[in-house]
Amino acid sequence: MKSLWGLSMMMKLMITVFTCLVLCSVMLVTFSDVFRHQLLGATVNVDLKEPKDKLLGGLLTADFDEDSCLSRYQSSLYRKSSPYKPSEYLVSKLRSYEMVHKRCGPGTHAYKEATKNLHGHDDNKNYANKTVGECKYIVWVAVYGLGNRMLTLASVFLYALLTDRVVLVDQSKDTSDLFCEPFPGTSWLLPRDFPLTRQIDGYNKEYLRCYGTMLNNHAINSTLIPQHMYLHILHDSRDEDKMFFCPKDQALIDKVPWLIVKANVYFVPSLWFNPSFRTELVKLFPQKETVFYHLARYLFHPTNQVWGMVTRSYDAYLSRADQTLGIQVRVFSRRAGYFRHVMDQIVACTQRERLLPELATPLTNASRSKKLNAVLVTSLYPEYSNNLKDMYWERPTSTGDVVQVYQPSGERFQQTDKKLHDQKALAEMYLLSLTDNIVTSAGSTFGYVAHSLGGLKPWLLYRPVRGRTPDPPCVRAVSMEPCYLTSPSHGCETRKRIDLATIFPFVRHCEDLWHEGVKLFDDTKDEL
């Protein structure tokens, strides 16, 4: 009996211990989840009741390791829910492209077969009817500053989607230090042993295989197709160079196995003037002003090093604010530096548009409900942010709100192609894109990327004339699309000069450049 009683007591003790262990485990797990959620909420200031769509409506694929590129799936935590959703057709097109890139990308049999045609210097050989493999390519060459690169790479990628080409990215600059690979299971970087690598830097509009030059020389037709061709889509492009988007010209260009592109302008609007492209583009982008917005969120994911710069700055300076404002200042002047009339313009714009409160007067009754306004300023010159900071430090605001001003860097001069400088520039573009409202400088590709990436319609600072503050100082954009600064001045069938902004209701002149350039707008009434 004693042995049975002892055994019973031991079983009861074991059951009690097991129950305690289970309860402790549950409590630890629950506490861990609560602590993690509280920490996440405090860090990124998100509404945990609202689940975040880390795949951005299907825009992104789930086929990547998250730790290899934290920004790819974390960016949604730092943004408000987007009203702009990618079309199902765009999502399908991107998944199809990813499979093609995996089949045709660097290291594949298809790529090796295609590059065989680039060895040697037989430029007179006709490739019109020659089998050159199952894949066609377009090589993007990095030129000019980071803003230009991002705008042109998105343009080239869209062109590749429309023409069934594979995009390969020149890696002679710092692309891999800035962006993660966007396509799963493959690479978008052009191999360093690419046969034309040593020649590419010297390509210009005088090159015999430049399309505009070939047109002028009558060196291309349906029976005379070269193995590769250079597209010159820069600010100094000739009318002949800009014919690349025309239907008849595309029929020839489509037969060329390899295209090499140098560009520093956002040429997406010109693609809409090709009827065959336009039909496809309408299905890809029913909301026409979302082209760069969707393509940028798909292509451009900052590396972990750059993303660390973004998140640390956001957590320290923006996450706790009731309202955030981004101000990007770029001065286009022969004499660089700080200008008082530009400072006056910034103050006039932000206060006139009620983006920042005015300063208090002795008779002002300040509101008791004080809000925190965080202002992020990006500029090569710190004087703009310092003066704004001093202004709100020395006097209270008329509303009683608190204004805190922050500038991540002020490097005095642009250092294109320097790794750390470009990484800081990319981090600042992303920080600007995370603000609630944004003010950018007219004609600045840096500003175009920042507001378009954030899905923001900016206030655009007009360019000052003869050192005077413009009146009005700024204008609110009605489209978040970037501006095509040097759009074609002629039609496809005639050399007669035309105004491209008058052809379609969804293409208009850019607001910030006094009717220069064109950009895409949404017009729900247009019929294609």
Side-chain angles (χ1 to χ4, degrees), residues 10-23:
M10 184 176 294
M11 291 181 64
K12 289 181 179 180
L13 179 62
M14 291 176 65
I15 291 172
T16 301
V17 170
F18 178 76
T19 302
C20 290
L21 287 172
V22 171
L23 289 173

Side-chain angles (χ1 to χ4, degrees), residues 182-201:
F183 313 129
T186 183
S187 176
W188 69 343
L189 296 176
L190 181 71
R192 296 189 185 277
D193 61 355
F194 179 62
L196 301 180
T197 296
R198 294 183 179 180
Q199 305 173 34
I200 286 176
D201 282 345

Side-chain angles (χ1 to χ4, degrees), residues 66-280:
E66 295 194 20
D67 291 337
S68 65
C69 183
L70 297 173
S71 66
R72 190 190 317 275
Y73 301 125
Q74 286 185 5
S75 62
S76 61
L77 298 175
Y78 291 79
R79 299 189 188 280
K80 296 180 179 179
S81 296
S82 172
Y84 308 106
K85 305 301 181 184
S87 67
E88 293 183 5
Y89 188 71
L90 174 59
V91 171
S92 174
K93 193 81 171 181
L94 293 174
R95 298 293 87 81
S96 297
Y97 175 85
E98 291 164 2
M99 291 188 290
V100 172
H101 198 107
K102 186 180 294 187
R103 188 178 72 248
C104 301
T108 63
H109 174 74
Y111 173 81
K112 293 175 183 177
E113 286 297 309
T115 54
K116 287 180 180 179
N117 298 303
L118 294 176
H119 290 283
H121 303 282
D122 188 4
D123 288 338
N124 295 320
K125 194 170 184 179
N126 177 28
Y127 284 80
N129 299 312
K130 182 177 175 61
T131 301
V132 293
E134 60 178 313
C135 307
K136 295 182 299 182
Y137 299 84
I138 183 166
V139 176
W140 171 85
V141 182
V143 291
Y144 290 86
L146 183 58
N148 299 85
R149 294 183 197 175
M150 295 176 71
L151 292 175
T152 59
L153 184 47
S155 303
V156 169
F157 178 66
L158 178 57
Y159 177 78
L161 287 182
L162 296 171
T163 56
D164 298 320
R165 288 185 181 271
V166 172
V167 170
L168 296 178
V169 174
D170 167 33
Q171 59 173 317
S172 62
K173 309 299 182 183
D174 50 16
T175 301
S176 60
D177 295 316
L178 298 172
F179 304 110
C180 305
E181 293 277 2
F183 313 129
T186 183
S187 176
W188 69 343
L189 296 176
L190 181 71
R192 296 189 185 277
D193 61 355
F194 179 62
L196 301 180
T197 296
R198 294 183 179 180
Q199 305 173 34
I200 286 176
D201 282 345
Y203 288 177
N204 55 44
K205 58 187 177 182
E206 305 304 323
Y207 177 48
L208 291 178
R209 289 292 171 261
C210 175
Y211 184 63
T213 300
M214 296 185 76
L215 283 181
N216 286 335
N217 295 340
H218 305 288
I220 183 171
N221 56 53
S222 60
T223 60
L224 186 61
I225 301 296
Q227 59 184 345
H228 73 279
M229 182 186 293
Y230 168 60
L231 300 177
H232 189 83
I233 315 178
L234 297 170
H235 58 280
D236 63 347
S237 295
R238 303 158 295 187
D239 285 346
E240 293 81 4
D241 296 310
K242 297 176 184 178
M243 297 290 286
F244 81 95
F245 67 88
C246 295
K248 183 174 66 175
D249 299 78
Q250 276 299 313
L252 295 176
I253 295 173
D254 188 60
K255 298 178 181 179
V256 181
W258 288 90
L259 297 179
I260 315 295
V261 181
K262 285 184 181 178
N264 68 343
V265 290
Y266 181 70
F267 61 85
V268 163
S270 67
L271 299 177
W272 292 76
F273 292 97
N274 185 316
S276 60
F277 288 169
R278 189 162 65 249
T279 301
E280 186 80 351

